[in-house]
Every structure is written in C-alpha cells, then in structure tokens.
Amino acid sequence: ADRQLIETNRQLVKKSIDLQEINEDFRKLSYTDSLTGLHNRRRFEELMRTELEMSHRHGDINSILVIDIDHFKRVNDEYGHPGGDCVLKDIANTLKKTLRKTDILCRIGGEEFVALCKRADKAAALLIGEKMRKDIEIRRTAFGDKFIHVTISIGIATTNEHNINMDSNALYS
C-alpha cells in the first residue's frame, strides 16, 4: 500500500509540474504576437503601467515611440497578405536590432508597433527613432523573387516632470 501511495504521489507531482508548464506556455502566448513573436498590445499596456509607476516613484524619464508602416494597405493590395506578413516580420526584426537591450518592442496591431525606451529622454528617443527610420528606409524585404520597399513614420512621447502622473493611455494617445 505504501509503494502504491508513493507512486500515486509521484504521478500527481509530475502532473502538477506538467500543468504549471502548460499554464506558463499559455501565459506567454497571451502576451505574444503570433506573427512577429513580439509582445502584443495586452503586454504593452501592462508594461506601460508598470514603467509609469516606476517613473512616478523614482522620477525617471521614459519615452515611447509609436511606429507606423506608411501606406501598408498598398503592400497588402500589391503582394497579398503573405507579402504583408513577410514585411511585418522583417520590420519587427529590423526594429529590434535598432533598440537598446533595455528597450521593449511591441506590435500593437496591424502595421503599428510601439517601442518603450526606458530611461530615454526626448533627445535619446529622437536618435533611436531616426536610426529606426533610416534602417527601414534603406531596407528591402525579400518576397519570392521581388523586393518590397516600405518606410515608417514615428511619433514620440516622453514623460517629464509635467506629465509624470499621466496614465499610460493618455501618454500613448
């Protein structure tokens, strides 16, 4: 009876560990954009709340860069959604390489991305944004035997002593 109880307990512990791993996988999926592998809008909103709370507590400056692919509908119309998806993945990878290790890139939806640049003032955010813009402008995305060229537009918002109490939705919009 003791061996049976020990074996049953071992199986329950294994199933519990398996269930915890599955739950962690589901949690990651709920925060991840399936196309690009970036954080999604839900995760961005959570990260923004946390960072703004930290900024308020410590007086840190943060910037967000709102990035939009110019005339993206044209890409989907001309190359179809597979071409558009290829561009989105390529843009995501290119933007990630431009950011600092502490920055966070999210895909908000469609052709819109947001970069949360921790401890970056407006001047630093402008430099990061301009580097992103130039990197995308010179890039061509390979799609079959064609190359797709796109450009991006970037808006920047920075926390400072005047807006540090602003909530994340107000700063983002």
Side-chain angles (χ1 to χ4, degrees):
D2 284 345
R3 275 188 265 152
Q4 179 83 25
L5 187 58
I6 290 169
E7 179 58 24
T8 302
N9 189 42
R10 188 191 66 72
Q11 289 175 1
L12 284 173
V13 167
K14 183 184 179 330
K15 287 184 181 192
S16 176
I17 290 169
D18 290 346
L19 186 57
Q20 288 173 1
E21 289 172 356
I22 290 169
N23 283 336
E24 179 61 19
D25 290 344
F26 280 135
R27 187 190 69 75
K28 286 178 184 173
L29 285 172
S30 75
Y31 285 145
T32 304
D33 174 62
S34 61
L35 180 65
T36 62
L38 299 176
H39 295 297
N40 62 16
R41 179 182 214 98
R42 175 185 297 150
R43 183 68 175 144
F44 166 71
E45 290 170 356
E46 185 178 285
L47 291 166
M48 277 295 296
R49 276 192 303 276
T50 302
E51 282 305 315
L52 285 176
E53 288 170 10
M54 295 298 286
S55 291
H56 180 68
R57 183 177 307 139
H58 300 290
D60 292 332
I61 292 174
N62 293 306
S63 292
I64 60 169
L65 285 70
V66 181
I67 305 144
D68 193 69
I69 302 173
D70 301 327
H71 313 292
F72 188 70
K73 184 180 179 320
R74 177 192 57 82
V75 173
N76 279 334
D77 289 348
E78 191 170 330
Y79 300 97
H81 289 285
D85 288 352
C86 188
V87 167
L88 289 169
K89 288 184 223 176
D90 191 43
I91 294 283
N93 289 330
T94 303
L95 294 176
K96 269 180 15 182
K97 291 175 187 171
T98 305
L99 291 173
R100 304 168 307 171
K101 289 184 183 191
T102 57
D103 298 335
I104 300 168
L105 183 63
C106 306
R107 179 172 175 222
I108 299 304
E111 71 277 9
E112 188 177 348
F113 299 84
V114 175
L116 173 57
C117 299
K118 300 177 181 184
R119 316 305 174 261
D121 62 12
K122 186 155 237 136
L126 284 168
L127 289 173
I128 294 166
E130 183 58 14
K131 172 100 171 77
M132 287 176 162
R133 191 194 65 73
K134 285 180 180 177
D135 286 353
I136 298 301
E137 185 176 52
I138 64 172
R139 183 141 184 89
R140 303 293 184 269
T141 301
F143 179 65
D145 61 347
K146 298 179 175 141
F147 290 92
I148 305 171
H149 176 252
V150 296
T151 57
I152 58 173
S153 297
I154 303 173
I156 297 173
T158 302
T159 60
N160 57 43
E161 65 274 2
H162 303 294
N163 67 2
I164 199 135
N165 292 322
M166 188 180 292
D167 72 7
S168 60
N169 289 330
L171 186 64
Y172 175 68
S173 26

